[in-house]
Amino acid sequence: MLGALCGCSGGGWVPDGPHSLDQASLSRIVLAGAHDSGLSPRLVSAMIDVESHGDPAAVSRAGAQGLMQLMPGTAATYGVLNAFDPYENVSGGCRYMHDLLRRYHNNVSLALAAYNAGPGAVDDAHGVPSFAETRAYVARVAAELRSTTN
């Protein structure tokens, strides 16, 4: 189900380094978060791969944190006290994505765009915003989803 997660998140993560999670632990976290929020584990796995490459200590240039790259305000909204705790981060990220899917009537592309750029940007654009980063993010998650079905 989960492909090999590797890469560099900008936080200096190295596969199998001090911040990596073993595949079984990551799978358990993904399955729990997906189950509790009613999301597809494949979607959650794809988001984690694109967001952080599986690094629970990842921090983006914008300040997003952890496996699902939660911004501090989003983490607080969803009751995530420690965004670097893999279980808390995935749980909060999954609940946020669930709410975005509900808001955008299960349109995965719009929900992913809102996850990346914020719901205001999606609402203002009446669709996926023209931001290169957001368009690339939606395309990368979609490609990851396609690759896990083969």
Side-chain angles (χ1 to χ4, degrees):
M1 171 199 340
L2 296 171
L5 298 174
C6 60
C8 183
S9 66
W13 179 72
V14 176
D16 299 320
H19 301 295
S20 66
L21 283 174
D22 64 86
Q23 196 62 45
S25 295
L26 184 56
S27 293
R28 280 191 300 277
I29 292 166
V30 166
L31 288 172
H35 178 267
D36 291 347
S37 61
L39 297 179
S40 157
R42 286 179 37 249
L43 174 61
V44 177
S45 294
M47 291 174 69
I48 289 171
D49 191 36
V50 172
E51 288 286 354
S52 68
H53 304 289
D55 179 2
V59 178
S60 76
R61 289 181 299 279
Q65 302 171 328
L67 288 169
M68 293 192 76
Q69 291 291 276
L70 297 176
M71 292 299 289
T74 303
T77 297
Y78 286 90
V80 175
L81 300 177
N82 179 1
F84 298 108
D85 177 281
Y87 286 97
E88 280 193 64
N89 186 283
V90 171
S91 176
C94 285
R95 286 181 284 132
Y96 181 42
M97 186 61 175
H98 173 269
D99 290 350
L100 292 171
L101 283 165
R102 181 181 298 153
R103 179 178 182 147
Y104 296 107
H105 309 288
N106 291 316
N107 183 315
V108 175
S109 293
L110 292 180
L112 287 169
Y115 194 94
N116 178 264
V122 172
D123 295 346
D124 290 347
H126 304 288
V128 177
S130 60
F131 309 138
E133 176 188 329
T134 300
R135 290 189 177 268
Y137 173 76
V138 172
R140 287 175 58 206
V141 174
E144 187 70 24
L145 281 169
R146 283 191 303 275
S147 76
T148 61
T149 60
N150 298 329

PDB file of all heavy atoms in Angstrom, residues 9 17 20 51 64 68 76 79 88 90 110 119 121 123 140 144-145:
ATOM      1  N   SER A   9      12.915  16.938   2.596  1.00  0.00           N
ATOM      2  CA  SER A   9      11.806  17.858   2.799  1.00  0.00           C
ATOM      3  C   SER A   9      12.253  19.303   2.936  1.00  0.00           C
ATOM      4  O   SER A   9      11.427  20.166   3.154  1.00  0.00           O
ATOM      5  CB  SER A   9      11.065  17.460   4.069  1.00  0.00           C
ATOM      6  OG  SER A   9      11.914  17.659   5.173  1.00  0.00           O
ATOM      7  N   GLY A  17      17.283   7.973   8.307  1.00  0.00           N
ATOM      8  CA  GLY A  17      18.041   8.807   9.237  1.00  0.00           C
ATOM      9  C   GLY A  17      17.328   8.904  10.567  1.00  0.00           C
ATOM     10  O   GLY A  17      16.381   8.167  10.844  1.00  0.00           O
ATOM     11  N   SER A  20      13.383   9.246  10.455  1.00  0.00           N
ATOM     12  CA  SER A  20      12.560   8.350   9.647  1.00  0.00           C
ATOM     13  C   SER A  20      11.710   7.449  10.536  1.00  0.00           C
ATOM     14  O   SER A  20      12.034   7.199  11.696  1.00  0.00           O
ATOM     15  CB  SER A  20      13.441   7.505   8.725  1.00  0.00           C
ATOM     16  OG  SER A  20      14.253   6.628   9.475  1.00  0.00           O
ATOM     17  N   GLU A  51       3.919  15.760   0.908  1.00  0.00           N
ATOM     18  CA  GLU A  51       4.121  16.821   1.904  1.00  0.00           C
ATOM     19  C   GLU A  51       5.490  16.753   2.575  1.00  0.00           C
ATOM     20  O   GLU A  51       6.158  17.769   2.713  1.00  0.00           O
ATOM     21  CB  GLU A  51       3.032  16.761   2.986  1.00  0.00           C
ATOM     22  CG  GLU A  51       1.673  17.208   2.531  1.00  0.00           C
ATOM     23  CD  GLU A  51       1.548  18.712   2.348  1.00  0.00           C
ATOM     24  OE1 GLU A  51       2.486  19.456   2.675  1.00  0.00           O
ATOM     25  OE2 GLU A  51       0.493  19.138   1.868  1.00  0.00           O
ATOM     26  N   ALA A  64       5.139  25.073   7.958  1.00  0.00           N
ATOM     27  CA  ALA A  64       4.319  23.876   8.112  1.00  0.00           C
ATOM     28  C   ALA A  64       5.170  22.774   8.736  1.00  0.00           C
ATOM     29  O   ALA A  64       6.370  22.686   8.481  1.00  0.00           O
ATOM     30  CB  ALA A  64       3.765  23.434   6.764  1.00  0.00           C
ATOM     31  N   MET A  68       2.225  15.633   7.774  1.00  0.00           N
ATOM     32  CA  MET A  68       1.217  16.198   6.873  1.00  0.00           C
ATOM     33  C   MET A  68       1.355  17.708   6.737  1.00  0.00           C
ATOM     34  O   MET A  68       0.483  18.371   6.204  1.00  0.00           O
ATOM     35  CB  MET A  68      -0.195  15.791   7.306  1.00  0.00           C
ATOM     36  CG  MET A  68      -0.413  14.292   7.133  1.00  0.00           C
ATOM     37  SD  MET A  68      -2.111  13.770   7.278  1.00  0.00           S
ATOM     38  CE  MET A  68      -2.777  14.284   5.689  1.00  0.00           C
ATOM     39  N   ALA A  76      -3.517  23.952  15.701  1.00  0.00           N
ATOM     40  CA  ALA A  76      -4.257  24.387  16.887  1.00  0.00           C
ATOM     41  C   ALA A  76      -5.757  24.187  16.699  1.00  0.00           C
ATOM     42  O   ALA A  76      -6.449  23.724  17.614  1.00  0.00           O
ATOM     43  CB  ALA A  76      -3.942  25.849  17.195  1.00  0.00           C
ATOM     44  N   GLY A  79      -6.668  20.668  17.364  1.00  0.00           N
ATOM     45  CA  GLY A  79      -6.273  20.128  18.654  1.00  0.00           C
ATOM     46  C   GLY A  79      -4.950  19.396  18.663  1.00  0.00           C
ATOM     47  O   GLY A  79      -4.702  18.577  19.548  1.00  0.00           O
ATOM     48  N   GLU A  88      -0.490  12.455  16.245  1.00  0.00           N
ATOM     49  CA  GLU A  88      -1.253  13.701  16.347  1.00  0.00           C
ATOM     50  C   GLU A  88      -1.302  14.424  15.004  1.00  0.00           C
ATOM     51  O   GLU A  88      -2.344  14.942  14.597  1.00  0.00           O
ATOM     52  CB  GLU A  88      -0.618  14.641  17.378  1.00  0.00           C
ATOM     53  CG  GLU A  88      -0.937  14.338  18.801  1.00  0.00           C
ATOM     54  CD  GLU A  88      -0.524  15.495  19.699  1.00  0.00           C
ATOM     55  OE1 GLU A  88      -1.087  16.597  19.553  1.00  0.00           O
ATOM     56  OE2 GLU A  88       0.373  15.273  20.533  1.00  0.00           O
ATOM     57  N   VAL A  90      -0.915  13.277  11.872  1.00  0.00           N
ATOM     58  CA  VAL A  90      -1.727  12.606  10.857  1.00  0.00           C
ATOM     59  C   VAL A  90      -3.205  12.689  11.231  1.00  0.00           C
ATOM     60  O   VAL A  90      -4.053  12.927  10.367  1.00  0.00           O
ATOM     61  CB  VAL A  90      -1.252  11.158  10.631  1.00  0.00           C
ATOM     62  CG1 VAL A  90      -2.214  10.393   9.737  1.00  0.00           C
ATOM     63  CG2 VAL A  90       0.152  11.160  10.027  1.00  0.00           C
ATOM     64  N   LEU A 110      -9.968  20.048  -5.533  1.00  0.00           N
ATOM     65  CA  LEU A 110     -10.212  21.294  -4.810  1.00  0.00           C
ATOM     66  C   LEU A 110      -9.798  21.177  -3.349  1.00  0.00           C
ATOM     67  O   LEU A 110      -9.212  22.114  -2.782  1.00  0.00           O
ATOM     68  CB  LEU A 110     -11.678  21.705  -4.912  1.00  0.00           C
ATOM     69  CG  LEU A 110     -12.165  22.137  -6.287  1.00  0.00           C
ATOM     70  CD1 LEU A 110     -13.640  22.524  -6.224  1.00  0.00           C
ATOM     71  CD2 LEU A 110     -11.322  23.276  -6.849  1.00  0.00           C
ATOM     72  N   PRO A 119      -8.273  27.448   1.961  1.00  0.00           N
ATOM     73  CA  PRO A 119      -9.604  27.513   1.365  1.00  0.00           C
ATOM     74  C   PRO A 119      -9.926  28.880   0.748  1.00  0.00           C
ATOM     75  O   PRO A 119     -10.622  28.948  -0.270  1.00  0.00           O
ATOM     76  CB  PRO A 119     -10.551  27.213   2.532  1.00  0.00           C
ATOM     77  CG  PRO A 119      -9.714  26.535   3.547  1.00  0.00           C
ATOM     78  CD  PRO A 119      -8.314  27.044   3.358  1.00  0.00           C
ATOM     79  N   ALA A 121      -7.982  30.863  -0.915  1.00  0.00           N
ATOM     80  CA  ALA A 121      -7.413  30.939  -2.265  1.00  0.00           C
ATOM     81  C   ALA A 121      -8.259  30.145  -3.255  1.00  0.00           C
ATOM     82  O   ALA A 121      -8.464  30.584  -4.394  1.00  0.00           O
ATOM     83  CB  ALA A 121      -5.978  30.425  -2.250  1.00  0.00           C
ATOM     84  N   ASP A 123     -11.495  29.430  -2.908  1.00  0.00           N
ATOM     85  CA  ASP A 123     -12.764  30.143  -3.058  1.00  0.00           C
ATOM     86  C   ASP A 123     -12.602  31.366  -3.961  1.00  0.00           C
ATOM     87  O   ASP A 123     -13.437  31.603  -4.844  1.00  0.00           O
ATOM     88  CB  ASP A 123     -13.308  30.561  -1.694  1.00  0.00           C
ATOM     89  CG  ASP A 123     -13.684  29.376  -0.813  1.00  0.00           C
ATOM     90  OD1 ASP A 123     -13.784  28.241  -1.325  1.00  0.00           O
ATOM     91  OD2 ASP A 123     -13.863  29.599   0.402  1.00  0.00           O
ATOM     92  N   ARG A 140       1.058  16.263  -8.192  1.00  0.00           N
ATOM     93  CA  ARG A 140       1.938  15.258  -7.572  1.00  0.00           C
ATOM     94  C   ARG A 140       1.151  14.276  -6.719  1.00  0.00           C
ATOM     95  O   ARG A 140       1.418  13.069  -6.740  1.00  0.00           O
ATOM     96  CB  ARG A 140       3.027  15.941  -6.742  1.00  0.00           C
ATOM     97  CG  ARG A 140       4.086  16.605  -7.616  1.00  0.00           C
ATOM     98  CD  ARG A 140       5.105  17.379  -6.809  1.00  0.00           C
ATOM     99  NE  ARG A 140       5.789  16.534  -5.845  1.00  0.00           N
ATOM    100  CZ  ARG A 140       6.324  16.986  -4.717  1.00  0.00           C
ATOM    101  NH1 ARG A 140       6.260  18.257  -4.396  1.00  0.00           N
ATOM    102  NH2 ARG A 140       6.937  16.152  -3.901  1.00  0.00           N
ATOM    103  N   GLU A 144       0.784  10.325  -7.443  1.00  0.00           N
ATOM    104  CA  GLU A 144       1.088   9.352  -6.390  1.00  0.00           C
ATOM    105  C   GLU A 144      -0.092   8.390  -6.200  1.00  0.00           C
ATOM    106  O   GLU A 144       0.088   7.177  -6.043  1.00  0.00           O
ATOM    107  CB  GLU A 144       1.413  10.072  -5.085  1.00  0.00           C
ATOM    108  CG  GLU A 144       1.886   9.193  -3.980  1.00  0.00           C
ATOM    109  CD  GLU A 144       3.264   8.616  -4.209  1.00  0.00           C
ATOM    110  OE1 GLU A 144       4.070   9.190  -4.958  1.00  0.00           O
ATOM    111  OE2 GLU A 144       3.542   7.552  -3.634  1.00  0.00           O
ATOM    112  N   LEU A 145      -1.295   8.931  -6.230  1.00  0.00           N
ATOM    113  CA  LEU A 145      -2.495   8.073  -6.104  1.00  0.00           C
ATOM    114  C   LEU A 145      -2.574   7.092  -7.269  1.00  0.00           C
ATOM    115  O   LEU A 145      -2.889   5.920  -7.078  1.00  0.00           O
ATOM    116  CB  LEU A 145      -3.768   8.923  -6.053  1.00  0.00           C
ATOM    117  CG  LEU A 145      -4.076   9.557  -4.723  1.00  0.00           C
ATOM    118  CD1 LEU A 145      -5.198  10.587  -4.862  1.00  0.00           C
ATOM    119  CD2 LEU A 145      -4.448   8.508  -3.697  1.00  0.00           C
TER     120      LEU A 145
END
